[in-house]
Amino acid sequence: MCSTMTDLAEKLYKEQTLSKRELTELFNCDTDTAERLRSLAEKVRIENYGCDIYVRGLIEFSNYCKRDCLYCGIRRSNQNCERYRLSFDEIMECCDEGYNLGFRTFVLQSGEDPYYDDDKICEIITAIKSKYPDCALTLSIGEKSYDSYKRFYDCGADRYLLRHETANKAHYEKLHTKSQSFENRIRCLKDLKQIGYQTGCGFMVGSPYQTDECLAEDLLFIKDFNPHMVGIGPFISHKDTVFKDHPNGPVELTLKLLSIIRLMLPKVLLPATTALATIDPRGREKGIMAGANVVMPNLSPVSVRKKYQIYDNKICTGDESAMCKNCLDLRVKSVGCKIVTSRGDSKNV
Ligand code: SAH
């Protein structure tokens, strides 16, 4: 049994894919196999990206949201969420600070906030790209039309993060309201890639109603979609949501999935997410050791950080958060890697 399992890790390394059944076997593998998966994934990360860990400055510019995703703390129907929007100047100040810290990628993330219409988003993109032409700009602002995505791209946005959340339609419908469709989520991802964005998809590990079969479908979807980036992190419950009593996603499974994704798509960009670091004090380090090669510290003003609470107990929201860069440098060094301040484009082209 043991050797068969380890063979599966070797097979994944050699063939860069597995069947649905083999994948679900790996999710439940013994610790020896988990360690084999991890070390193969680390080796593949090093072969493709060396010891470089890319850093992205995350700017959470609005927590208003017209959607009502059942798992998310900033969902429309959460009356306890104190809403905020950053002004144009505040967003630019975040970039100035990030640039001085050495960041060469900015990620603009928000709820789906109609206040920022296409003209306003274009104005922000144009301003950031003309002030900092050496930086990459990533958007993570949800579902839009093809034409909106195209306008943002033509203004200079380089990358777009839109997690598919789950590749199983029935599961998707259990996590979202009727106004949201699986088909539209996937349409968005295809449009983004077709327009020319470096595109990121992803999902939560341990979300309500998720089965091993759903996870295997996620991985096969990702393999087939062949994105430039994949964001995965554990589900973490939020006290003001329908899923407040649902347990958090497991750390070990998240790490295994990071390794599997690294082996399926050797050149993909793979963040060690804040969610992983929130449920495990060494989450970032463990994520990197499992094959991740990106970290995304928060650049939002300290005054608003606690308000962008998509799940409970999110880290780096207190006064100490100005020190995030130093703290990350040390963490990354402790696992034999180094933070680099280049744009950090994906090699998965
Ligand atoms: N509105 C944007 C950004 C959403 S927040 C969009 O739709 O893309 C970014 C990601 O956080 C989501 O895609 C989701 O996967 C994750 N997230 C939301 N709630 C979460 C929770 N309770 N636990 C863990 N991750 C969560």
Side-chain angles (χ1 to χ4, degrees), residues 51 78 80 105 109 130 160 166 169 214 224 230 252 328 345:
C51 293
N78 181 8
N80 296 330
T105 291
Q109 191 177 81
S130 50
Y160 207 104
T166 168
K169 180 173 153 64
C214 292
D224 178 63
V230 179
E252 293 307 323
L328 273 179
D345 287 299

Side-chain angles (χ1 to χ4, degrees), residues 60 63 84-86 300-308:
E60 297 156 338
N63 70 352
Y84 74 91
R85 288 186 182 107
L86 296 187
S300 314
V302 173
S303 56
V304 304
R305 283 194 200 177
K306 277 198 180 10
K307 298 180 188 162
Y308 199 86

Side-chain angles (χ1 to χ4, degrees), residues 337-349:
C337 294
K338 64 173 192 305
I339 286 190
V340 296
T341 53
S342 63
R343 274 173 52 118
D345 287 299
S346 182
K347 297 182 182 175
N348 197 35
V349 284

